[in-house]
Amino acid sequence: MGGLQSDCQKLDDYRLIESLVTDDVEVAVMQTFDSWMGAIQKEDLIDGMMLAKPNGKKIIPCNRLNNIQVLANGDIRACGCRVNTNTNEDIFLIGNIDNISISDAYNSQKVIGIKKSFLRNNPPEECQKCSWYS
């Protein structure tokens, strides 16, 4: 056992999960976290945690735009990993499950427009500042 799993074994809380770890179960330490567009600052983190930096120029639509998220209140979003806390507008909000099907949401003009913004070299600020872009 090496790498990230052995890093986990060094943690004080590892004893809480040790009995669950088998050859079929892998554990890892997460040390790098997203800032959620500046909502989380370095001083909000505990020792050993780091903030990720936005990862490069975004020239093609992010793969995460192919995932639809349905929230507990029925709202449907095009991206589950980005919310701009600096504005009241949620650019990824497509609609509500009461008013639009998941299929229609996935194929909506809003989602297509966000994807096209990458091809026009003008992705949304939320995407430009994202460290989870894939």
Side-chain angles (χ1 to χ4, degrees):
M1 190 179 337
L4 293 175
Q5 188 149 331
S6 63
D7 288 347
C8 288
Q9 290 175 324
K10 297 174 190 172
L11 298 172
D12 293 337
D13 291 341
Y14 182 78
R15 64 181 169 71
L16 300 173
I17 64 164
E18 188 170 18
S19 64
L20 304 173
V21 178
T22 67
D23 290 339
D24 297 325
V25 176
E26 188 175 309
V27 294
V29 175
M30 185 173 174
Q31 296 174 300
T32 305
F33 299 86
D34 190 72
S35 73
W36 284 85
M37 295 191 66
I40 299 171
Q41 302 294 315
K42 175 66 177 154
E43 55 269 12
D44 297 323
L45 304 178
I46 61 174
D47 288 341
M49 291 179 165
M50 299 173 285
L51 288 175
K53 295 189 179 1
N55 55 2
K57 187 172 171 104
K58 283 92 172 169
I59 57 174
I60 60 172
C62 177
N63 190 39
R64 295 178 191 274
L65 291 171
N66 295 319
N67 299 321
I68 296 295
Q69 177 187 47
V70 181
L71 304 180
N73 67 357
D75 285 348
I76 303 174
R77 299 184 77 244
C79 175
C81 64
R82 186 61 48 226
V83 174
N84 188 344
T85 59
N86 299 318
T87 182
N88 290 332
E89 180 189 5
D90 181 355
I91 68 154
F92 298 113
L93 180 63
I94 303 166
N96 191 282
I97 197 74
D98 291 334
N99 304 318
I100 186 171
S101 71
I102 292 175
S103 176
D104 287 345
Y106 181 83
N107 294 301
S108 70
Q109 288 302 309
K110 187 163 196 173
V111 174
I112 292 168
I114 294 170
K115 291 177 180 180
K116 284 184 177 180
S117 72
F118 282 85
L119 304 176
R120 291 188 305 267
N121 199 28
N122 189 27
E125 177 185 14
E126 289 82 350
C127 300
Q128 293 175 34
K129 293 183 176 180
C130 184
S131 62
W132 291 1
Y133 172 80
S134 60

